[in-house]
Amino acid sequence: MRRWVKGALGTLAALAVLGAAGYHFRTDLALAFVRWRSAQDIAATRPVPWQQGPATPAAPPSERPPNIVFILFDDLGMNDLSTFGGGIAGGRIKTPNIDRLAADGAIFTQAYAGNATCSPSRAQLMTGRYATRTGFEFTPTPPGFARVVSMVSADLAPDRPPVVYDAAAEAAAPPFEEQGLPPEEVTLAEVLKTRGYHTVHIGKWHLGNAPRFHPNAQGFDESLNMDGMLHLPEDHPDAVNARLEFDPIDHFLWASGHFVTSYNGGEKFAPGGYLADYWTDESLKVIEANRNRPFFLYLAHWGVHSPLQATREDYDAVGDIAPHRVRVYAAMMRALDRSVGRIMAKLEAEGLAENTLVVISSDNGAPGYVGIDRVNAPFRGGKGSFFEGGIRVPLFARWPARIAPGTKVPLPVGQVDVMPTLAAVAGAPLPKGVTIDGRNLLPALTGQGTPERADAPLFWSSGYYKAVRAGNWKLQVNGRQNKVWLYDLAADPTETRNLAAAQPAKRAELERLLAAHERGRKAPLYASTFETPVSIDRTMAEPFDPRGEWIYWPN
């Protein structure tokens, strides 16, 4: 009996030690599981069999509907560009090709993303409808993301407010592949096809992975889709990587990321180079293949989204910038600027530039979790907040046939306006029986007619966190924290003076607008699964200041 008791005690002690070790290394074990679970078979790179348009044009380019190229960057901050006099590393890194495109066409000086995170913005771009109508309110995240990020955050930064993980909400949500833009929504690609456009998507989609949500099911004739989260293989000889040890999301991305693409939903294969360059190479082929017919090319870059990876050539070219992560980030921006330059040069070479509308924007502001200061300067906040830094984005449009160089549009506009505007550019009717929230901005671009937007308000929502801009006034409401911010953006464009207490009548007016916007809304397609704290005036690389401004962001 004594021997049995001693054996049992020994077993219990061993289990206790193993349990303690498991708890101590729980983050490493969780990330290892993510790495194992996300493993996939990836074929070797291969040529993309792009469809070839007619060998001869039915009409010269000037007599056809204009080609449309929409270039969307990911997590790009306003101060990542030198267009406005700034640039990365205190202005050392210029973006001459993007600057030239903006100067040759129109700049919307008060342009807003559809949301402060990725997918809801993209849904608005495609549909011209707010999340209150589509239900597409939260960015889909891969299996385990919310749980692992909350776990890593607790280990890395116990002094910060916790990332709140809702296991019940995650269990009730549809599978990751089924979290997509409802197929019954009418997309920009579907609208343009009614005018005979050949429609092509290249790059990030993030509006659902199941076949019924795929770009090919949402109006795109062809799609070269991003199926991984790496810009290059981590161990590629030309890759320069910058791990962000302070960022829980970065840990998940490196564990789950792959370098992989697919064409029209087929077999997954390795891209033919660094993503920004590879997708540009393929975009040039698409332009050439469709030079004799109207086409819509939606090029959705992954840069400058983390994980931060650049090519050795770009890393060397930007010079000695410190710290290392800023230098890699600058090199990524150099690749994106080169992409724009190459596309513009190809349009010129094919004789298409005059009657091609090229639009540039970003899905939201730059995030604080990359640990780089002033990426959204002069604005406060960043990705994951409705402060200006989270939702103010570049919006440039070049169309020599219709838009005069040096055009400035001061009207507050949103990405919800993109779909109806590009439909008007193409002369395509909007879908019947569908309420479109966006407004046609073509008159503002061409100087002909009156813009539809005028003083129409702009809205944003992410669960209990909502915002509205009406005229020069902007209201933010965070229901979880019972916080309200009211700013007069004409007098205070960088949101330094909260007037919520001093201007009760104006606050009430904007609260009524928000209430009316939410009335009768479509419920989110799935619930938020986690809430993350976001510092408004500090990056994640800096110590958290509990006295400073911060918010909870639900997703």
Side-chain angles (χ1 to χ4, degrees):
M1 181 68 175
R2 185 178 298 174
R3 184 179 300 172
W4 180 88
V5 171
K6 287 177 66 178
L9 290 173
T11 300
L12 289 173
L15 289 173
V17 170
L18 288 172
Y23 181 80
H24 181 74
F25 294 105
R26 66 191 184 281
T27 295
D28 294 330
L29 292 172
L31 291 171
F33 178 76
V34 167
R35 191 174 292 108
W36 170 81
R37 184 174 183 174
S38 63
Q40 54 183 291
D41 294 326
I42 302 172
T45 190
R46 63 186 61 172
V48 178
W50 296 112
Q51 298 176 30
Q52 300 298 304
T56 57
S62 61
E63 298 177 14
R64 303 197 300 256
N67 306 307
I68 299 173
V69 178
F70 194 99
I71 303 174
L72 186 66
F73 300 129
D74 201 320
D75 286 4
L76 185 85
M78 290 289 283
N79 203 39
D80 288 337
L81 306 179
S82 52
T83 313
F84 305 105
I88 300 168
R92 283 179 58 182
I93 305 305
K94 306 299 182 184
T95 50
N97 294 300
I98 296 172
D99 298 352
R100 188 177 308 114
L101 181 146
D104 287 348
I107 297 175
F108 289 91
T109 60
Q110 297 191 82
Y112 289 92
N115 201 284
T117 59
C118 161
S119 298
S121 286
R122 294 164 194 266
Q124 281 193 31
L125 281 170
M126 286 292 111
T127 65
R129 285 157 58 87
Y130 288 118
T132 48
R133 296 195 194 278
T134 66
F136 197 81
E137 187 149 330
F138 302 117
T139 292
T141 55
F145 178 88
R147 182 177 183 181
V148 171
V149 166
S150 66
M151 187 184 303
V152 176
S153 178
D155 285 351
L156 291 179
D159 60 320
R160 293 178 181 271
V163 174
V164 180
Y165 166 56
D166 189 335
E170 184 169 58
F176 174 59
E177 293 76 12
E178 293 289 334
Q179 296 177 22
L181 181 68
E184 60 267 23
E185 294 292 336
V186 182
T187 69
L188 172 60
E190 291 171 305
V191 168
L192 294 179
K193 283 179 69 65
T194 66
R195 282 283 285 151
Y197 278 75
H198 186 73
T199 55
V200 180
H201 157 258
I202 294 179
K204 184 174 177 177
W205 179 241
H206 212 170
L207 294 176
N209 291 343
R212 65 196 182 105
F213 301 119
H214 193 270
N216 294 128
Q218 298 277 31
F220 285 95
D221 296 307
E222 302 182 87
S223 171
L224 184 63
N225 192 47
M226 183 181 94
D227 291 303
M229 290 184 285
L230 296 182
H231 300 268
L232 269 178
E234 185 178 358
D235 59 355
H236 192 283
D238 292 334
V240 181
N241 307 312
R243 284 181 174 265
L244 309 175
E245 296 299 336
F246 49 80
D247 174 27
I249 293 175
D250 197 64
H251 285 257
F252 185 91
L253 293 178
W254 285 109
S256 62
H258 294 281
F259 184 62
V260 58
T261 190
S262 62
Y263 172 71
N264 285 354
E267 184 182 23
K268 295 180 180 181
F269 59 93
Y274 182 70
L275 282 187
D277 293 327
Y278 171 65
W279 285 340
T280 306
D281 293 341
E282 298 304 320
S283 294
L284 304 189
K285 295 174 186 176
V286 167
I287 291 171
E288 184 170 340
N290 295 283
R291 64 190 180 277
N292 291 325
R293 62 180 173 185
F295 64 85
F296 169 46
L297 170 61
Y298 173 40
L299 171 57
H301 276 295
W302 181 222
V304 285
H305 197 295
S306 56
L308 301 187
Q309 294 182 285
T311 64
R312 173 65 59 181
E313 180 181 353
D314 285 328
Y315 183 79
D316 292 340
V318 299
D320 188 14
I321 296 172
H324 172 67
R325 64 178 177 273
V326 179
R327 184 171 177 179
V328 173
Y329 190 85
M332 295 173 74
M333 191 66 242
R334 185 175 189 265
L336 295 178
D337 184 69
R338 178 173 61 249
S339 171
V340 172
R342 293 179 64 201
I343 287 171
M344 298 306 298
K346 182 64 173 178
L347 292 170
E348 291 283 355
E350 296 292 345
L352 302 175
E354 181 72 13
N355 198 32
T356 296
L357 171 64
V358 182
V359 183
I360 288 178
S361 194
S362 176
D363 60 347
N364 44 252
Y369 58 69
V370 295
I372 301 175
D373 195 23
R374 295 188 58 76
V375 281
N376 298 307
F379 304 112
R380 298 176 68 201
K383 179 180 181 179
S385 85
F386 291 142
F387 282 81
E388 292 288 278
I391 51 177
R392 280 286 283 269
V393 292
L395 184 60
F396 310 146
R398 181 186 188 272
W399 183 13
R402 296 288 304 276
I403 301 173
T407 297
K408 297 286 181 68
V409 182
L411 190 70
V413 302
Q415 287 177 345
V416 72
D417 300 320
V418 167
M419 189 272 231
T421 300
L422 297 188
V425 165
L430 294 176
K432 293 181 179 179
V434 178
T435 301
I436 302 298
D437 295 305
R439 308 299 176 92
N440 175 18
L441 304 177
L442 185 57
L445 288 169
T446 62
Q448 300 174 359
T450 303
E452 292 181 2
R453 175 151 289 287
D455 292 327
L458 291 163
F459 297 95
W460 299 267
S461 61
S462 187
Y464 52 70
Y465 186 23
K466 307 178 189 301
V468 57
R469 174 168 178 173
N472 290 321
W473 289 88
K474 179 180 163 192
L475 178 77
Q476 301 181 61
V477 178
N478 190 303
R480 185 190 200 279
Q481 297 166 280
N482 294 317
K483 287 186 174 182
V484 178
W485 302 266
L486 178 68
Y487 296 104
D488 177 1
L489 296 179
D492 181 23
T494 57
E495 297 174 302
T496 61
R497 298 184 298 278
N498 185 358
L499 302 177
Q503 296 281 352
K506 181 58 69 173
R507 170 181 168 175
E509 175 189 336
L510 268 64
E511 286 177 335
R512 287 193 294 271
L513 285 175
L514 269 179
H517 178 69
E518 292 285 324
R519 194 173 299 125
R521 63 156 297 158
K522 183 175 181 178
L525 298 172
Y526 42 87
S528 163
T529 59
F530 70 102
E531 303 162 80
T532 185
V534 178
S535 292
I536 301 305
D537 299 308
R538 292 194 175 197
T539 74
M540 193 171 281
E542 300 172 273
F544 178 76
D545 180 7
R547 299 166 300 177
E549 193 78 80
W550 65 277
I551 57 99
Y552 262 113
W553 174 264
N555 188 75

